[in-house]
Amino acid sequence: MAVKIEARGLYKVYPRDKGEAVPALAGLDLQVYENEFLAIVGPSGCGKSTLLYLMAGFLDATAGELLLDGRPIRGPQRDCGIVFQHFALFPWKTVKGNILYGLEERKVPRAERERLARHYIAQMKLTGFENSYPHQLSGGMKQRVAIARTLALDPAVLLMDEPFGALDAQTRRLMQEELLALWERKKKTVVFVTHDVREAVYLADRVAVMTARPGRIKAIVDTRLSAAARRHELLESEELVAKANAVWALVREEVEKSAALGE
Ligand SMILES: Nc1ncnc2c1ncn2[C@@H]1O[C@H](COP(=O)(O)OP(=O)(O)OP(=O)(O)O)[C@@H](O)[C@H]1O
Ligand SMILES: [Mg+2]
């Protein structure tokens, strides 16, 4: 399998005005294969968002290497789509305007832009809100607009940092199904950060468990589910529960270490 993203001995230290600098990542090694769905879990503050920001090219590493298609990542990449929790919508643009923006920037022809906007508005269950402004939407709806905006650009790599965090349980479930269906239809490399171990196991082929800060990869668990266990109508299956328990056992140790550090 081809390697799409590779981290070798990756370090990120955040300087601080006063006191000691904060080491967020310390020698992290990871390979993300082309077209796989990889989830990342780990205790709060272990450096998950930092890793995604580095992959997105929004931050520079302190040391080590981070490669996309074998080339060092320097600055934001065009074929990397991001859905970050605090990546704001344009408040002065409507739902549709927000989704059209990136397509216009890329000079996608008008008819195709309109078609894509309609398609992703429907897929993200935003029909009827095309002309609403972000301040008129709930947190979950804004998140869905942010997802639609990124998916419309059809990036080869999708970096998602707790994209479903603000959604209610039912909508979250629907969005998980939509994302899986999309990933099965159009092969993409997905790196998906979540706090929710079950969500990670349900969605991903492999789940990378990070250590307590400073973050490294503690283990990678193969979580590919059988077709039956992944069938959309199933909420639970023994297979899913068993795999989620195995991942949780690993995460739990790190959460305890992290709590002992007072984080
Ligand atoms: N801009 C920054 N300046 C200084 N320290 C930072 C900065 N961003 C993050 N940190 C610190 O780096 C560490 C890792 O943060 P990061 O946000 O990557 O963790 P995380 O795993 O995403 O946490 P969470 O699960 O809570 O989202 C934390 O200790 C955090 O306080
Ligand atoms: Mg985070």
Side-chain angles (χ1 to χ4, degrees), residues 37-118:
F37 198 128
L38 178 90
I40 298 179
V41 296
S44 184
C46 75
K48 302 181 294 297
S49 296
T50 300
L51 178 58
L52 243 62
Y53 276 112
L54 288 165
M55 286 180 177
F58 290 172
L59 282 179
D60 290 325
T62 308
E65 276 190 302
L66 187 58
L67 310 172
L68 175 72
D69 293 322
R71 287 184 293 276
I73 296 174
R74 302 195 208 286
Q77 309 281 319
R78 201 181 162 89
D79 58 350
C80 267
I82 52 163
V83 182
F84 291 168
Q85 209 160 2
H86 304 292
F87 204 68
L89 302 173
F90 295 121
W92 63 88
K93 285 186 185 278
T94 62
V95 165
K96 194 172 163 196
N98 267 281
I99 296 170
L100 286 173
Y101 175 78
L103 297 165
E104 285 162 3
E105 237 197 351
R106 289 179 189 203
K107 313 238 181 310
V108 175
R110 178 181 293 270
E112 178 64 3
R113 287 197 311 254
E114 291 289 328
R115 189 190 70 75
L116 286 167
R118 267 200 312 278

Coordinates of all heavy atoms in Angstrom, one line a residue, residues 37-118:
F37 N -8.9 5.0 5.9 CA -9.6 5.9 6.9 C -9.0 5.6 8.3 O -9.1 4.5 8.8 CB -11.1 5.4 6.9 CG -12.0 6.5 7.6 CD1 -13.2 6.9 6.9 CD2 -11.8 7.0 8.8 CE1 -14.0 7.9 7.4 CE2 -12.6 8.0 9.4 CZ -13.7 8.4 8.7
L38 N -8.2 6.6 8.7 CA -7.4 6.4 10.0 C -8.0 7.3 11.0 O -8.2 8.5 10.8 CB -6.0 6.8 9.8 CG -5.1 6.7 11.0 CD1 -4.5 5.3 11.2 CD2 -4.0 7.7 11.1
A39 N -8.3 6.8 12.2 CA -8.8 7.6 13.3 C -7.7 7.8 14.3 O -6.8 6.9 14.4 CB -10.0 7.0 13.9
I40 N -7.7 8.9 14.9 CA -6.7 9.2 16.0 C -7.5 9.5 17.3 O -8.3 10.3 17.3 CB -5.8 10.4 15.6 CG1 -5.0 10.0 14.4 CG2 -4.9 10.7 16.8 CD1 -4.1 11.2 13.9
V41 N -7.1 8.7 18.3 CA -7.7 9.0 19.6 C -6.6 9.1 20.7 O -5.5 8.7 20.4 CB -8.7 7.8 20.1 CG1 -9.9 7.7 19.1 CG2 -7.9 6.5 20.1
G42 N -7.0 9.7 21.8 CA -6.0 9.9 22.8 C -6.5 10.9 23.8 O -7.5 11.6 23.6
P43 N -5.9 11.0 25.0 CA -6.4 11.9 26.0 C -6.4 13.4 25.6 O -5.7 13.8 24.7 CB -5.4 11.7 27.2 CG -4.3 10.9 26.7 CD -4.7 10.3 25.4
S44 N -7.2 14.1 26.2 CA -7.3 15.6 26.0 C -5.9 16.2 26.2 O -5.3 15.9 27.2 CB -8.4 16.2 26.9 OG -8.5 17.5 26.6
G45 N -5.5 17.0 25.3 CA -4.2 17.7 25.4 C -3.0 16.9 25.0 O -1.9 17.3 25.2
C46 N -3.2 15.7 24.4 CA -2.1 14.9 24.0 C -1.4 15.3 22.7 O -0.4 14.8 22.3 CB -2.5 13.4 24.0 SG -3.4 13.0 22.5
G47 N -2.1 16.2 22.0 CA -1.5 16.8 20.7 C -2.2 16.3 19.5 O -1.6 16.5 18.4
K48 N -3.4 15.9 19.6 CA -4.1 15.4 18.4 C -4.3 16.6 17.4 O -4.1 16.5 16.2 CB -5.5 14.8 18.7 CG -5.4 13.6 19.7 CD -6.7 13.0 20.0 CE -7.6 14.0 20.8 NZ -7.1 14.3 22.2
S49 N -4.8 17.7 17.9 CA -5.1 18.8 17.0 C -3.8 19.4 16.5 O -3.7 19.7 15.3 CB -5.8 19.9 17.8 OG -7.1 19.5 18.2
T50 N -2.8 19.4 17.3 CA -1.5 19.8 16.9 C -1.0 19.0 15.7 O -0.5 19.5 14.6 CB -0.4 19.7 18.0 OG1 -0.9 20.5 19.1 CG2 1.0 20.1 17.6
L51 N -1.2 17.7 15.8 CA -0.7 16.8 14.6 C -1.5 17.2 13.4 O -1.0 17.2 12.3 CB -1.0 15.4 15.1 CG -0.6 14.3 14.0 CD1 0.8 14.4 13.5 CD2 -0.9 12.9 14.5
L52 N -2.8 17.4 13.5 CA -3.6 17.7 12.3 C -3.3 19.1 11.8 O -3.2 19.2 10.5 CB -5.1 17.6 12.7 CG -5.8 16.6 11.9 CD1 -5.3 15.2 12.2 CD2 -7.3 16.6 12.1
Y53 N -3.0 20.0 12.6 CA -2.6 21.4 12.1 C -1.3 21.2 11.4 O -1.1 21.9 10.4 CB -2.4 22.3 13.3 CG -3.7 23.0 13.7 CD1 -4.3 22.8 14.9 CD2 -4.3 23.9 12.8 CE1 -5.5 23.4 15.3 CE2 -5.5 24.5 13.1 CZ -6.1 24.2 14.4 OH -7.3 24.9 14.7
L54 N -0.4 20.4 11.9 CA 0.9 20.2 11.2 C 0.6 19.6 9.8 O 1.2 20.0 8.8 CB 1.8 19.3 12.0 CG 2.5 20.0 13.2 CD1 3.0 18.9 14.1 CD2 3.5 21.0 12.8
M55 N -0.2 18.5 9.8 CA -0.5 17.9 8.5 C -1.2 18.8 7.5 O -1.0 18.8 6.3 CB -1.5 16.7 8.7 CG -0.8 15.5 9.4 SD -2.1 14.2 9.6 CE -1.1 12.9 10.2
A56 N -2.0 19.8 8.1 CA -2.7 20.8 7.2 C -1.7 21.8 6.7 O -2.1 22.7 5.9 CB -3.9 21.4 8.0
G57 N -0.5 21.9 7.3 CA 0.4 22.9 6.9 C 0.2 24.3 7.6 O 0.7 25.3 7.1
F58 N -0.6 24.3 8.6 CA -0.9 25.5 9.4 C 0.2 25.8 10.4 O 0.2 27.0 10.9 CB -2.3 25.4 10.1 CG -3.4 25.4 9.2 CD1 -4.7 25.2 9.7 CD2 -3.3 25.7 7.8 CE1 -5.8 25.1 8.8 CE2 -4.4 25.7 7.0 CZ -5.7 25.4 7.5
L59 N 0.9 24.8 10.8 CA 2.0 25.0 11.8 C 3.2 24.4 11.2 O 3.2 23.5 10.4 CB 1.6 24.2 13.1 CG 0.6 24.7 14.1 CD1 0.5 23.7 15.2 CD2 1.1 26.1 14.6
D60 N 4.4 24.8 11.7 CA 5.6 24.2 11.4 C 6.1 23.3 12.5 O 6.0 23.6 13.7 CB 6.7 25.2 11.1 CG 6.4 26.0 9.8 OD1 5.9 25.4 8.9 OD2 6.7 27.2 9.8
A61 N 6.7 22.2 12.1 CA 7.2 21.2 13.2 C 8.5 21.9 13.8 O 9.2 22.6 13.1 CB 7.5 19.9 12.5
T62 N 8.8 21.5 15.0 CA 10.0 22.0 15.7 C 11.2 21.1 15.2 O 12.3 21.6 15.0 CB 9.8 21.8 17.2 OG1 8.6 22.5 17.6 CG2 11.0 22.4 17.9
A63 N 10.9 19.8 15.0 CA 11.9 18.9 14.5 C 11.2 17.7 13.9 O 10.0 17.5 14.1 CB 12.9 18.5 15.6
G64 N 11.9 17.0 13.1 CA 11.4 15.8 12.5 C 10.8 16.1 11.1 O 10.9 17.2 10.6
E65 N 10.3 15.0 10.5 CA 9.8 15.2 9.1 C 8.3 14.8 9.0 O 7.8 13.9 9.7 CB 10.5 14.2 8.2 CG 11.9 14.7 7.7 CD 12.4 13.7 6.7 OE1 12.6 12.5 7.0 OE2 12.7 14.2 5.6
L66 N 7.7 15.6 8.1 CA 6.3 15.3 7.8 C 6.1 15.4 6.3 O 6.3 16.5 5.7 CB 5.3 16.3 8.6 CG 3.9 16.0 8.5 CD1 3.5 14.7 9.1 CD2 3.1 17.1 9.3
L67 N 5.7 14.3 5.7 CA 5.7 14.2 4.3 C 4.3 13.9 3.7 O 3.5 13.1 4.3 CB 6.6 13.1 3.8 CG 8.0 13.1 4.3 CD1 8.8 11.9 3.9 CD2 8.8 14.4 3.8
L68 N 3.9 14.6 2.6 CA 2.7 14.2 1.9 C 3.2 13.8 0.5 O 3.9 14.5 -0.2 CB 1.8 15.5 1.8 CG 0.5 15.3 1.0 CD1 -0.5 14.4 1.7 CD2 -0.1 16.7 0.7
D69 N 2.8 12.6 0.1 CA 3.2 12.0 -1.1 C 4.8 12.1 -1.3 O 5.3 12.4 -2.3 CB 2.6 12.8 -2.3 CG 1.1 12.5 -2.4 OD1 0.7 11.4 -2.2 OD2 0.4 13.5 -2.8
G70 N 5.4 11.9 -0.1 CA 6.9 11.9 -0.1 C 7.6 13.2 -0.1 O 8.8 13.3 -0.1
R71 N 6.8 14.3 -0.1 CA 7.4 15.6 -0.2 C 7.0 16.4 1.2 O 5.9 16.2 1.7 CB 6.8 16.5 -1.3 CG 7.4 16.0 -2.7 CD 6.9 16.9 -3.8 NE 5.4 16.8 -4.0 CZ 4.9 15.9 -4.7 NH1 5.6 15.0 -5.4 NH2 3.6 15.8 -4.9
P72 N 8.0 17.1 1.7 CA 7.8 17.8 2.9 C 6.6 18.8 2.8 O 6.4 19.5 1.8 CB 9.0 18.6 3.2 CG 10.1 18.0 2.3 CD 9.3 17.4 1.1
I73 N 5.8 18.8 3.9 CA 4.6 19.7 3.9 C 5.1 21.1 4.3 O 5.6 21.3 5.4 CB 3.5 19.2 4.9 CG1 3.0 17.8 4.4 CG2 2.4 20.2 5.1 CD1 2.0 17.2 5.3
R74 N 4.9 22.1 3.4 CA 5.3 23.4 3.8 C 4.1 24.3 3.4 O 3.9 24.6 2.3 CB 6.5 23.9 3.0 CG 7.7 23.1 3.2 CD 9.0 23.8 2.8 NE 10.0 22.9 2.3 CZ 10.7 22.2 3.2 NH1 10.6 22.3 4.5 NH2 11.7 21.3 2.7
G75 N 3.3 24.7 4.4 CA 2.2 25.5 4.1 C 1.0 24.7 3.7 O 1.1 23.5 3.4
P76 N -0.2 25.4 3.7 CA -1.4 24.7 3.3 C -1.4 24.0 2.0 O -0.8 24.6 1.0 CB -2.5 25.8 3.4 CG -1.9 26.8 4.3 CD -0.4 26.8 4.1
Q77 N -2.0 22.8 1.9 CA -1.9 22.0 0.6 C -3.3 22.1 0.0 O -4.3 22.0 0.6 CB -1.7 20.6 1.0 CG -0.5 20.3 1.9 CD 0.8 20.4 1.1 OE1 0.9 19.9 0.0 NE2 1.8 21.1 1.7
R78 N -3.3 22.3 -1.3 CA -4.5 22.4 -2.1 C -5.4 21.1 -2.0 O -6.6 21.2 -2.0 CB -4.1 22.7 -3.5 CG -5.3 23.3 -4.3 CD -4.8 23.6 -5.7 NE -5.9 23.8 -6.6 CZ -6.5 25.0 -6.8 NH1 -6.0 26.0 -6.2 NH2 -7.5 25.1 -7.6
D79 N -4.7 20.0 -2.1 CA -5.6 18.8 -2.1 C -5.8 18.2 -0.7 O -6.2 17.0 -0.6 CB -5.0 17.7 -3.1 CG -3.6 17.3 -2.8 OD1 -3.0 17.9 -1.9 OD2 -3.2 16.3 -3.3
C80 N -5.6 19.0 0.3 CA -6.0 18.6 1.7 C -7.2 19.4 2.1 O -7.2 20.6 2.2 CB -4.9 19.0 2.7 SG -3.7 17.7 2.9
G81 N -8.3 18.7 2.4 CA -9.5 19.4 2.9 C -9.5 19.3 4.4 O -9.1 18.3 4.9
I82 N -9.9 20.4 5.0 CA -9.9 20.3 6.5 C -11.3 20.7 7.1 O -12.0 21.5 6.5 CB -8.9 21.3 7.1 CG1 -9.1 22.7 6.5 CG2 -7.5 20.9 6.8 CD1 -8.5 23.8 7.3
V83 N -11.6 20.0 8.1 CA -12.8 20.3 8.9 C -12.4 20.3 10.3 O -12.2 19.3 10.9 CB -13.9 19.3 8.7 CG1 -15.2 19.7 9.5 CG2 -14.3 19.1 7.3
F84 N -12.1 21.5 10.8 CA -11.7 21.7 12.2 C -12.8 22.4 13.0 O -13.6 23.2 12.4 CB -10.5 22.6 12.3 CG -9.2 21.9 11.7 CD1 -8.1 22.7 11.5 CD2 -9.2 20.6 11.4 CE1 -6.9 22.1 11.0 CE2 -8.1 20.0 10.9 CZ -6.9 20.7 10.7
Q85 N -12.9 22.0 14.2 CA -14.0 22.5 15.0 C -14.1 24.0 15.1 O -15.2 24.6 15.1 CB -13.9 21.9 16.4 CG -15.3 21.7 17.0 CD -15.3 20.8 18.1 OE1 -14.3 20.2 18.5 NE2 -16.5 20.5 18.7
H86 N -13.0 24.7 15.1 CA -13.1 26.1 15.3 C -12.7 26.9 14.1 O -12.3 28.0 14.1 CB -12.2 26.6 16.5 CG -12.6 25.8 17.7 ND1 -13.8 26.1 18.4 CD2 -11.9 24.9 18.4 CE1 -13.8 25.3 19.4 NE2 -12.7 24.5 19.5
F87 N -12.9 26.2 12.9 CA -12.6 26.9 11.7 C -13.8 27.5 11.2 O -14.8 26.9 10.7 CB -12.0 25.8 10.7 CG -11.2 26.4 9.6 CD1 -9.9 27.0 9.9 CD2 -11.6 26.5 8.3 CE1 -9.2 27.5 8.9 CE2 -10.8 27.0 7.3 CZ -9.6 27.5 7.6
A88 N -13.9 28.9 11.3 CA -15.2 29.5 11.2 C -15.7 29.7 9.8 O -14.9 29.7 8.8 CB -15.0 30.9 11.8
L89 N -17.0 29.8 9.7 CA -17.6 30.1 8.4 C -17.5 31.6 8.2 O -17.2 32.4 9.2 CB -19.1 29.7 8.5 CG -19.4 28.3 8.8 CD1 -20.9 28.1 9.0 CD2 -18.9 27.4 7.7
F90 N -17.7 32.1 7.0 CA -17.8 33.5 6.7 C -19.2 34.0 7.3 O -20.2 33.6 6.7 CB -17.7 33.8 5.3 CG -16.4 33.4 4.7 CD1 -16.3 32.5 3.6 CD2 -15.2 34.0 5.2 CE1 -15.0 32.2 3.1 CE2 -13.9 33.7 4.6 CZ -13.9 32.7 3.6
P91 N -19.2 34.9 8.3 CA -20.4 35.3 8.9 C -21.3 36.1 7.9 O -22.5 36.1 8.0 CB -20.0 36.1 10.1 CG -18.6 36.4 9.9 CD -18.0 35.4 9.0
W92 N -20.7 36.7 6.9 CA -21.4 37.6 6.0 C -21.9 36.9 4.8 O -22.5 37.4 3.9 CB -20.5 38.8 5.6 CG -19.3 38.4 4.9 CD1 -19.2 38.2 3.5 CD2 -18.0 38.1 5.4 NE1 -17.9 37.9 3.2 CE2 -17.2 37.8 4.3 CE3 -17.5 38.1 6.7 CZ2 -15.8 37.4 4.5 CZ3 -16.2 37.8 6.9 CH2 -15.4 37.4 5.8
K93 N -21.6 35.6 4.7 CA -22.1 34.8 3.6 C -23.2 33.8 4.0 O -23.1 33.3 5.2 CB -20.9 34.0 2.9 CG -20.0 34.8 2.1 CD -19.0 33.9 1.4 CE -18.0 34.7 0.6 NZ -18.4 35.2 -0.7
T94 N -24.1 33.5 3.1 CA -25.1 32.5 3.5 C -24.5 31.1 3.5 O -23.4 30.9 3.1 CB -26.3 32.6 2.4 OG1 -25.7 32.2 1.1 CG2 -26.9 33.9 2.3
V95 N -25.4 30.2 3.8 CA -25.0 28.8 3.8 C -24.4 28.4 2.4 O -23.3 27.9 2.2 CB -26.2 27.8 4.2 CG1 -25.9 26.4 3.8 CG2 -26.5 28.0 5.7
K96 N -25.2 28.8 1.4 CA -24.8 28.5 0.0 C -23.6 29.3 -0.4 O -22.7 28.7 -1.0 CB -26.0 28.8 -0.9 CG -25.8 28.2 -2.3 CD -27.1 28.4 -3.1 CE -26.7 28.2 -4.6 NZ -27.8 28.7 -5.4
G97 N -23.5 30.5 0.1 CA -22.4 31.3 -0.3 C -21.1 30.8 0.3 O -20.0 30.8 -0.3
N98 N -21.2 30.3 1.6 CA -20.0 29.7 2.2 C -19.6 28.4 1.4 O -18.4 28.2 1.3 CB -20.4 29.2 3.6 CG -20.0 30.3 4.6 OD1 -18.8 30.5 5.0 ND2 -21.0 31.1 5.1
I99 N -20.5 27.7 0.9 CA -20.2 26.4 0.2 C -19.6 26.8 -1.2 O -18.7 26.2 -1.7 CB -21.4 25.5 0.1 CG1 -21.7 25.0 1.5 CG2 -21.1 24.3 -0.8 CD1 -23.1 24.3 1.6
L100 N -20.2 27.8 -1.8 CA -19.7 28.2 -3.2 C -18.3 28.9 -3.2 O -17.6 28.8 -4.2 CB -20.7 29.2 -3.8 CG -22.0 28.6 -4.3 CD1 -23.0 29.8 -4.7 CD2 -21.8 27.7 -5.4
Y101 N -18.0 29.4 -2.0 CA -16.7 30.3 -2.0 C -15.5 29.5 -2.5 O -14.8 30.0 -3.5 CB -16.5 30.8 -0.6 CG -15.2 31.5 -0.5 CD1 -15.1 32.8 -0.9 CD2 -14.0 30.9 0.0 CE1 -13.9 33.5 -0.8 CE2 -12.8 31.6 0.1 CZ -12.8 32.9 -0.3 OH -11.6 33.5 -0.3
G102 N -15.2 28.4 -2.0 CA -14.0 27.6 -2.4 C -14.1 27.2 -3.9 O -13.1 27.1 -4.6
L103 N -15.3 26.9 -4.3 CA -15.5 26.5 -5.7 C -15.2 27.6 -6.7 O -14.7 27.5 -7.7 CB -16.9 25.9 -5.9 CG -17.2 24.7 -5.1 CD1 -18.7 24.4 -5.0 CD2 -16.5 23.4 -5.6
E104 N -15.7 28.8 -6.2 CA -15.5 30.0 -7.1 C -14.0 30.3 -7.1 O -13.4 30.6 -8.2 CB -16.2 31.2 -6.4 CG -17.7 31.2 -6.7 CD -18.5 32.1 -5.7 OE1 -17.9 32.8 -4.9 OE2 -19.7 32.1 -5.8
E105 N -13.3 30.2 -6.0 CA -11.9 30.4 -5.9 C -11.1 29.5 -6.9 O -10.1 29.9 -7.4 CB -11.4 30.2 -4.5 CG -10.7 31.4 -3.9 CD -9.9 31.0 -2.7 OE1 -10.0 29.8 -2.2 OE2 -9.2 31.8 -2.2
R106 N -11.6 28.3 -7.0 CA -11.0 27.3 -7.9 C -11.5 27.4 -9.3 O -11.2 26.5 -10.1 CB -11.2 25.9 -7.3 CG -10.3 25.8 -6.1 CD -10.4 24.5 -5.5 NE -9.8 24.6 -4.2 CZ -9.3 23.6 -3.5 NH1 -9.4 22.4 -4.0 NH2 -8.7 23.7 -2.4
K107 N -12.3 28.4 -9.6 CA -12.8 28.7 -10.9 C -13.6 27.5 -11.5 O -13.5 27.2 -12.7 CB -11.6 29.0 -11.9 CG -10.7 30.1 -11.3 CD -10.6 31.3 -12.2 CE -9.7 32.4 -11.8 NZ -9.8 32.8 -10.4
V108 N -14.3 26.8 -10.7 CA -15.2 25.7 -11.1 C -16.3 26.5 -11.9 O -16.9 27.5 -11.4 CB -15.8 25.0 -9.9 CG1 -16.8 23.9 -10.4 CG2 -14.7 24.3 -9.1
P109 N -16.7 26.0 -13.1 CA -17.7 26.6 -13.9 C -19.1 26.8 -13.1 O -19.4 25.9 -12.3 CB -17.9 25.7 -15.1 CG -16.7 24.9 -15.1 CD -16.2 24.8 -13.8
R110 N -19.8 27.8 -13.4 CA -21.0 28.2 -12.6 C -22.0 27.0 -12.4 O -22.4 26.7 -11.3 CB -21.7 29.4 -13.2 CG -22.9 29.8 -12.5 CD -23.6 31.0 -13.1 NE -22.8 32.2 -13.0 CZ -22.9 33.0 -11.9 NH1 -23.7 32.8 -11.0 NH2 -22.1 34.1 -11.9
A111 N -22.3 26.4 -13.5 CA -23.3 25.3 -13.5 C -22.9 24.2 -12.6 O -23.7 23.7 -11.8 CB -23.6 24.8 -14.9
E112 N -21.6 23.9 -12.6 CA -21.1 22.8 -11.8 C -21.0 23.2 -10.3 O -21.3 22.4 -9.4 CB -19.7 22.5 -12.3 CG -18.9 21.4 -11.6 CD -19.6 20.0 -11.6 OE1 -20.6 19.8 -12.3 OE2 -19.0 19.1 -11.0
R113 N -20.7 24.5 -10.1 CA -20.7 25.0 -8.7 C -22.1 24.9 -8.1 O -22.2 24.5 -7.0 CB -20.3 26.5 -8.7 CG -18.9 26.8 -9.0 CD -18.6 28.2 -8.6 NE -19.4 29.3 -9.0 CZ -19.1 30.2 -10.0 NH1 -18.0 30.1 -10.7 NH2 -19.9 31.2 -10.3
E114 N -23.0 25.3 -8.9 CA -24.4 25.3 -8.4 C -24.8 23.8 -8.1 O -25.5 23.5 -7.1 CB -25.4 25.9 -9.4 CG -25.2 27.4 -9.6 CD -25.7 28.2 -8.4 OE1 -26.7 27.7 -7.7 OE2 -25.1 29.2 -8.1
R115 N -24.5 22.9 -9.0 CA -24.8 21.5 -8.8 C -24.2 20.9 -7.5 O -24.8 20.3 -6.7 CB -24.4 20.7 -10.0 CG -24.9 19.3 -10.1 CD -24.2 18.5 -11.2 NE -22.8 18.2 -10.9 CZ -22.4 17.3 -10.0 NH1 -23.3 16.5 -9.3 NH2 -21.1 17.1 -9.8
L116 N -22.9 21.2 -7.4 CA -22.2 20.7 -6.2 C -22.8 21.3 -4.9 O -23.0 20.6 -3.9 CB -20.7 21.1 -6.3 CG -19.9 20.2 -7.3 CD1 -18.5 20.9 -7.6 CD2 -19.7 18.8 -6.8
A117 N -23.0 22.6 -4.9 CA -23.6 23.2 -3.7 C -24.9 22.5 -3.4 O -25.2 22.2 -2.2 CB -23.8 24.7 -3.9
R118 N -25.8 22.4 -4.4 CA -27.1 21.7 -4.1 C -26.9 20.3 -3.6 O -27.6 19.9 -2.6 CB -27.9 21.6 -5.4 CG -28.9 22.8 -5.6 CD -30.0 22.5 -6.6 NE -29.4 21.8 -7.9 CZ -28.9 22.5 -8.9 NH1 -28.9 23.8 -8.9 NH2 -28.5 21.9 -10.0

